[in-house]
Amino acid sequence: METQFSEKQINILEVAEELIAKKGFEGTSVREISNKAKINVAMISYYFGSKEKMMGSLYQYRVKKTRENFLEFSEIIKNGNPEMQMKEIVKFIIKQLFKFSYFHGFVTQELRAGDNLKIELTNFYKITTNKLEELVEKGVTTGVFTHTPKSEDLLTLILGSALFVIRNKNFYQQFVPHQSEADYLKEAEKKVCTSVLLSIFATLGYHQAS
Amino acid sequence: METQFSEKQINILEVAEELIAKKGFEGTSVREISNKAKINVAMISYYFGSKEKMMGSLYQYRVKKTRENFLEFSEIIKNGNPEMQMKEIVKFIIKQLFKFSYFHGFVTQELRAGDNLKIELTNFYKITTNKLEELVEKGVTTGVFTHTPKSEDLLTLILGSALFVIRNKNFYQQFVPHQSEADYLKEAEKKVCTSVLLSIFATLGYHQAS
Amino acid sequence: METQFSEKQINILEVAEELIAKKGFEGTSVREISNKAKINVAMISYYFGSKEKMMGSLYQYRVKKTRENFLEFSEIIKNGNPEMQMKEIVKFIIKQLFKFSYFHGFVTQELRAGDNLKIELTNFYKITTNKLEELVEKGVTTGVFTHTPKSEDLLTLILGSALFVIRNKNFYQQFVPHQSEADYLKEAEKKVCTSVLLSIFATLGYHQAS
Amino acid sequence: METQFSEKQINILEVAEELIAKKGFEGTSVREISNKAKINVAMISYYFGSKEKMMGSLYQYRVKKTRENFLEFSEIIKNGNPEMQMKEIVKFIIKQLFKFSYFHGFVTQELRAGDNLKIELTNFYKITTNKLEELVEKGVTTGVFTHTPKSEDLLTLILGSALFVIRNKNFYQQFVPHQSEADYLKEAEKKVCTSVLLSIFATLGYHQAS
DNA sequence: AATGAATGAGCGTTCATTCAT
DNA sequence: CATGAATGAACGCTCATTCAT
């Protein structure tokens, strides 16, 4: 069983996540976090040991949530045919990325601290690639897919495209009609999702089952 | 005529680029940079005005180089058929990203200060998407491509995938046999390049001209 | 209700006052102050916000005290005849200047930052000139004074002479027999006080009431 | 014979004098001075040895000028009667103070460097007090003065009052109708001169010769 | 269990000065 | 003789953390 966080800790983590995503780990001071979370500045060291360890906890917290969500979602759709499952999984992953774009926008960059954290993330990737691999195989077996790209490359395509859009708003927003920030994210997600699905299914050599 | 940098300045910029890529802008102190570049700490303010302005210079220096390289390369291959040009351009872009992975790995992340810098990068993207669009159209005209995906989505796929691999070494290296760090980068580039080309051409509905 | 300073703050202010009087505001570093006050250098920012704001606090602290003392003293002597009151007030003002010579020796010099501080000092001067004016009028009415010099010129004479002596020790000490630094200040105060009283009463055209 | 300064050195000194008077010695950087004087920053060390020594030179330069002026002026008026000479000398001293208020406004404050400079200033004071003493004696002899105040106290009154007005513009300007900065100085000089003369002559027990 | 006070270290920057030319 | 480049030291300040309560 892993560490459980108290409500107060989770509150701190979520405030920290938002600030760190905006301003980077080093660019965010514990005073800022404690002000926004309306707690004493000493609390962060008190609860997590240090700022770096708080970062580790944040990491752990978010990855764990994401993994749980992924497994749960996989379970729900497990009875569908492989092409439907593939589509839903791609949509799900991209949705999660946009939902926690705060987190995913910075996370790969700031990994200096614990190697165990890197492992944890890698494990999560493992689960995902395994699932993708399974679906590709099934699809080939049932004849809807004709190619067998490597699952790590599929995942790279999905995560890479979505993260690029999240991080490069300045570039991508000129192609996305939108009225507000929130609006943009919704529309950008839709657009990148469509585009990624197109590429993934083309890469898989998808053709409708006869 | 744009600003030219002296050799000493370029030395500082390249040291800074590497450190900032590893540890972020805020995470890298001017003392670290000056130590590694074997210069006095005061030189950074002396040469660039401030740490922030040094960042701007680094930005300008690298983006300018990249744009020039791209335009030059486009010129060289302009007489080939569209499918060859497309292939070469994708390879070229990914090669550049890996070559200056230090820079491209952090650049989109750390942009808070100068908005004109964002514009500069966006302009670079514009040049690239225009080229891609042109090639797609030509390919459709000559009959080698059957689909017309949006150029910004193609670029997103290329840049996103390559950057993801660069930034997520921990994930991707388990799929890339390699002996050293340098070796890894070479092999990873090869692998992601192959994979991206596959997806791009699939997405374009490429089939050999009869 | 105005800001109250803690004992520790007052300790810092008094150390700062002495150093700044000797070496000027810019010439005194926060490290010097913190060393002499045996506190951590960060405390100055911690307690006062910044070095400049500390200067403002010092200002406020000393001017306030001086004004309160003056008003209190005025109250005590208010029942005396005007010539006695005039004499006592001159003596009191000079005594205060010598007592807080550290402060009064530099204060007018170093005022660049807060204009509200200038106003505060000016207000203090106002209180004093009003009192002097009142006494001159009373003295003329009772017939002990025959001239009515402007109160601002009287104050200028008093403050100017005393401050000049405080600041130009090198000049004035050759006319004041003394054995030690402290001794000098005592004797110098006595001498300048006598001299100023002489000039003030001569200027007022004082002659004993018949 | 004392050190003579070249034209370039004098130019630097005069620029420095103005800046230092405004912002203090420590508050004025050699870069500021060199910018305003349109010379290279290294010139100050080059010409004077150091910033502190430049201060010493400035001091020497101004005091010497002032002393020469005083002696010259004394010579001119030496044939007048003592009361006229006294009046003219007071007016002359105050005029000089206002003319070089830049210098005289800061000079007593910033004396840390050479003790020989202090001596030089003290010597200047000596010349002045001697002259004042001589005039008092003459006046008593001719019967126009009835009191014999100490010359150092007379000088203190004159210099103290004038310097106080120069330094405490915020206080004194409310009593001086004026339209501009320059205008103020002119009017303030006039006012303080009148007032000081009044006090000096009262203190001397002046009454017109019969 | 929680906090306000206090700390030492390090930050980016600017300083007066020196040095090679 | 004069200067632009470069330097080490010090600047005021903010940092994450600790400690006494």
Side-chain angles (χ1 to χ4, degrees), chain D residues 33-67:
Chain D
I33 296 169
S34 64
N35 281 341
K36 189 154 192 187
K38 299 195 190 222
I39 51 149
N40 186 280
V41 48
M43 294 303 297
I44 285 164
S45 288
Y46 181 69
Y47 272 139
F48 299 102
S50 73
K51 189 191 176 191
E52 286 241 314
K53 285 180 186 157
M54 181 208 68
M55 188 70 179
S57 294
L58 167 54
Y59 208 88
Q60 186 188 339
Y61 170 72
R62 185 57 69 217
V63 172
K64 194 184 149 203
K65 283 266 179 202
T66 305
R67 184 177 54 221

Side-chain angles (χ1 to χ4, degrees), chain C residues 26-27 105-106 108-109 118 122 125 152-153 157 160 164 167-168 170-172 174-175 191 195 199 203, chain D residues 26 105-106 108-109 118 122 125 152-153 157 159-160 164 167-168 170-172 174-175 191 195 199 203:
Chain C
E26 316 265 2
F106 73 79
T108 58
Q109 198 71 340
K118 295 185 184 178
T122 301
Y125 286 155
E152 70 268 19
D153 290 321
L157 195 159
F164 183 82
R167 294 185 203 188
N168 293 273
N170 285 292
F171 160 65
Y172 207 67
Q174 51 188 314
F175 306 106
K191 178 170 166 59
S195 154
S199 291
T203 307
Chain D
E26 313 272 357
F106 73 86
T108 56
Q109 198 69 346
K118 296 184 184 178
T122 302
Y125 286 154
E152 70 269 19
D153 289 322
L157 194 159
L159 295 177
F164 184 81
R167 294 182 200 187
N168 292 274
N170 284 293
F171 160 64
Y172 206 66
Q174 50 189 316
F175 306 106
K191 178 168 166 61
S195 154
S199 291
T203 307

Side-chain angles (χ1 to χ4, degrees), chain A residues 22-194:
Chain A
K22 266 192 227 153
K23 318 173 66 171
F25 179 70
E26 313 273 354
T28 307
S29 73
V30 292
R31 264 172 192 74
E32 265 179 293
I33 296 170
S34 64
N35 280 342
K36 191 154 191 188
K38 298 193 191 225
I39 50 148
N40 185 279
V41 48
M43 293 304 296
I44 284 163
S45 288
Y46 180 70
Y47 272 140
F48 300 103
S50 72
K51 190 192 176 191
E52 287 241 313
K53 284 181 187 157
M54 181 208 69
M55 189 69 179
S57 295
L58 167 53
Y59 208 88
Q60 187 189 337
Y61 169 71
R62 184 58 68 219
V63 171
K64 194 185 150 203
K65 282 267 180 200
T66 306
R67 184 177 53 221
E68 287 169 359
N69 286 345
F70 182 80
L71 290 174
E72 192 185 323
F73 184 76
S74 297
E75 195 59 25
I76 293 172
I77 59 167
K78 71 174 174 189
N79 294 325
N81 58 39
E83 62 270 29
M84 181 279 266
Q85 283 195 58
M86 177 64 77
K87 185 178 170 187
E88 290 308 317
I89 287 230
V90 169
K91 283 165 68 179
F92 176 80
I93 291 172
I94 292 175
K95 193 193 195 84
Q96 293 290 313
L97 289 174
F98 273 81
K99 190 168 178 189
F100 296 111
S101 63
Y102 275 159
F103 178 72
H104 297 288
F106 74 86
V107 78
T108 58
Q109 198 70 345
E110 301 279 357
L111 259 60
R112 274 190 297 291
D115 284 64
N116 55 338
L117 294 179
K118 296 185 185 178
I119 289 165
E120 199 165 349
L121 186 63
T122 302
N123 284 344
F124 169 65
Y125 285 154
K126 196 80 196 164
I127 292 172
T128 319
T129 50
N130 285 345
K131 187 71 192 175
L132 290 177
E133 202 171 344
E134 175 200 321
L135 291 177
V136 172
E137 277 174 27
K138 277 192 187 163
V140 170
T141 305
T142 61
V144 292
F145 299 152
T146 48
H147 303 143
T148 53
K150 292 287 170 60
S151 59
E152 70 267 20
D153 290 321
L154 291 179
L155 187 58
T156 294
L157 194 159
I158 300 164
L159 296 176
S161 294
L163 289 175
F164 183 82
V165 167
I166 288 170
R167 294 183 202 189
N168 291 275
K169 197 173 55 176
N170 284 292
F171 160 64
Y172 206 67
Q173 67 185 356
Q174 50 188 317
F175 307 106
V176 181
H178 62 283
Q179 278 140 356
S180 66
E181 171 73 18
D183 198 31
Y184 164 70
L185 280 177
K186 220 186 78 192
E187 297 301 320
E189 184 188 331
K190 214 183 288 179
K191 178 169 165 60
V192 77
C193 197
T194 306

